Amino acid sequence: MCVIDIQIVIDSTANVPEEMLLAHANLRVVPLKIILGKDEWNEPELTTAELFRLAGEKGVHPQTSQPAPGEFVQAFVPAVQGHPVIMICLAGGLSGTVNGARAVANKDFKGREIYVIDSCTGAIGAVKMAEAALAMAAAGESAGVIAEYLQRMAAATRTLFIVDSLEYLRKGGRIGGAAALVGSILQIKPILMLREAKVQVLDKVRTQSRAISRMLEELSKEDSLAYIGIVYEDEPAVVEDMLTFIRQRYPDIPVSRSALGSVLGAHLGPGVIGLIFQSKV
C-alpha cells in the first residue's frame, strides 16, 4: 500500500507544526472554532495571546465549537475513493469533536473505512499519535492496525496540567462551581488530569512551584517512557526550567515543548502549564 493511501486527519487543537504538515501530503487538519460575542474564527486564525487580549477588550468569555458536519464530510471524502481515513481527536472530556466526527462517519460514510480515535489527550499527545500513524502508514501497515495501535497509545498517555484560575473550566462546564469557588477562596493550586473522559483532580497544593514538582513526580512512576511533552500558554522561564530538569533526569527520552492553541486556551484559561507523557506500548 503506498503511503498516501491512508489519510491522517487531526483536529486543530493539536497545534500541528507547519513543517510537519508540509512534509506529509496525507496529513490534514480540521479546524475547531473560537467565538467571542458575534465574532468567530477558525482556531488557526487566532493565537492564544490574541484570544485573551480580545476577550479582555470585548469583556466576553470565549466560547468554542467543534467543526461543522460539512468539514468532517470533506475530511472523510477520500474514504469514498477507497482511501482509509484515520481521524485523531481532542480528548472527549474536553470537546465533543470526537462524537461529532463519529456521528458523521456513521451517518454519511457507513461501510467506509474510517477510524475516529479519541486521543484521550491533546496538543503534543495528539501530534505524537499522528507521527506514529504517518510512520506506520509509510511502513505499509494497514489502517486497522494503525488505529488499534493509536488506541493503545491513548490508553498509555497521561495528561496533567495546572491553571492560573479555575474559572475558565467552571464557565465551560468542565468542573463544578463549588470546586472552583473553594479553590479560589483557599488559593489552592490543583493539579488536574484527564481521566475517564473527565477533568479530575490529581492533587492540591499551594504554589505553582510545588504544583510543577508534583507533576514531575508522576514521571518517576512510569517504567518505560516513550516521550515527554510540555505544553504552555505563556510561562517561558518556568518551561525552560522544566525542560532542563527533565532532560537531565531522562537523557534518553525524547522531550518536546509546544505552545497551547487558542481552543484549549479558551477551555483552560491563561497561565496553563501541562505535562503529557506516554509509557511505551
Side-chain angles (χ1 to χ4, degrees):
M1 181 177 288
C2 68
V3 175
I4 61 172
D5 277 346
I6 298 178
Q7 301 295 304
I8 309 300
V9 182
I10 192 166
D11 73 50
S12 59
T13 63
N15 204 15
V16 177
E18 186 66 26
E19 58 269 22
M20 184 175 169
L21 287 169
L22 293 174
H24 298 282
N26 60 327
L27 174 65
R28 64 169 296 172
V29 173
V30 174
L32 277 75
K33 312 289 185 184
I34 289 284
I35 303 162
L36 288 172
K38 297 180 180 180
D39 298 319
E40 180 177 298
W41 297 261
N42 285 334
E43 180 176 17
E45 299 170 346
L46 195 68
T47 68
T48 310
E50 291 170 334
L51 165 69
F52 292 133
R53 178 181 62 80
L54 289 171
E57 290 176 357
K58 293 174 178 287
V60 295
H61 184 76
Q63 305 291 323
T64 67
S65 68
Q66 62 179 273
E71 290 171 306
F72 289 127
V73 168
Q74 186 176 5
F76 295 161
V77 161
V80 178
Q81 303 161 342
H83 303 298
V85 176
I86 298 172
M87 178 158 191
I88 302 164
C89 299
L90 175 64
L94 290 175
S95 170
T97 299
V98 64
N99 291 331
R102 286 172 177 163
V104 170
N106 292 333
K107 177 178 181 289
D108 299 323
F109 297 87
K110 189 168 291 186
R112 304 295 182 178
E113 196 172 7
I114 298 174
Y115 303 87
V116 179
I117 307 297
D118 183 343
S119 70
C120 300
T121 184
I124 289 173
V127 171
K128 288 295 183 180
M129 291 180 190
E131 289 176 351
L134 291 164
M136 292 177 74
E141 295 286 2
S142 70
V145 168
I146 296 171
E148 190 274 335
Y149 184 79
L150 295 184
Q151 289 169 339
R152 286 161 53 201
M153 287 182 70
T157 300
R158 295 192 64 194
T159 303
L160 312 177
F161 55 96
I162 57 175
V163 296
D164 274 354
S165 168
L166 295 171
E167 278 302 291
Y168 281 74
L169 284 163
R170 182 190 68 79
K171 288 180 178 178
R174 287 165 180 85
I175 63 168
L181 179 62
V182 169
S184 175
I185 292 173
L186 298 181
Q187 295 184 323
I188 289 172
K189 181 73 72 172
I191 299 101
L192 305 170
M193 62 182 175
L194 291 178
R195 176 180 287 177
E196 298 174 353
K198 294 180 182 179
V199 177
Q200 300 187 20
V201 176
L202 172 68
D203 204 349
K204 300 173 185 177
V205 297
R206 293 283 185 177
T207 64
Q208 183 191 70
S209 61
R210 178 59 189 139
I212 290 172
S213 296
R214 181 66 184 83
M215 285 199 298
L216 293 173
E217 286 175 14
E218 292 298 300
L219 291 174
S220 64
K221 299 179 181 180
E222 303 296 328
D223 293 330
S224 182
L225 287 163
Y227 72 84
I228 303 169
I230 299 174
V231 184
Y232 60 94
E233 187 269 317
D234 186 24
E235 294 280 357
V238 173
V239 169
E240 290 298 335
D241 289 344
M242 290 178 68
L243 284 169
T244 299
F245 173 87
I246 292 170
R247 286 170 175 157
Q248 289 175 348
R249 182 67 64 90
Y250 304 95
D252 300 322
I253 307 299
V255 181
S256 54
R257 60 185 286 177
S258 176
L260 198 70
S262 53
V263 165
L264 283 174
H267 288 316
L268 304 176
V272 176
I273 301 174
L275 187 66
I276 300 174
F277 52 95
Q278 180 213 311
S279 57
K280 290 181 179 179
V281 297

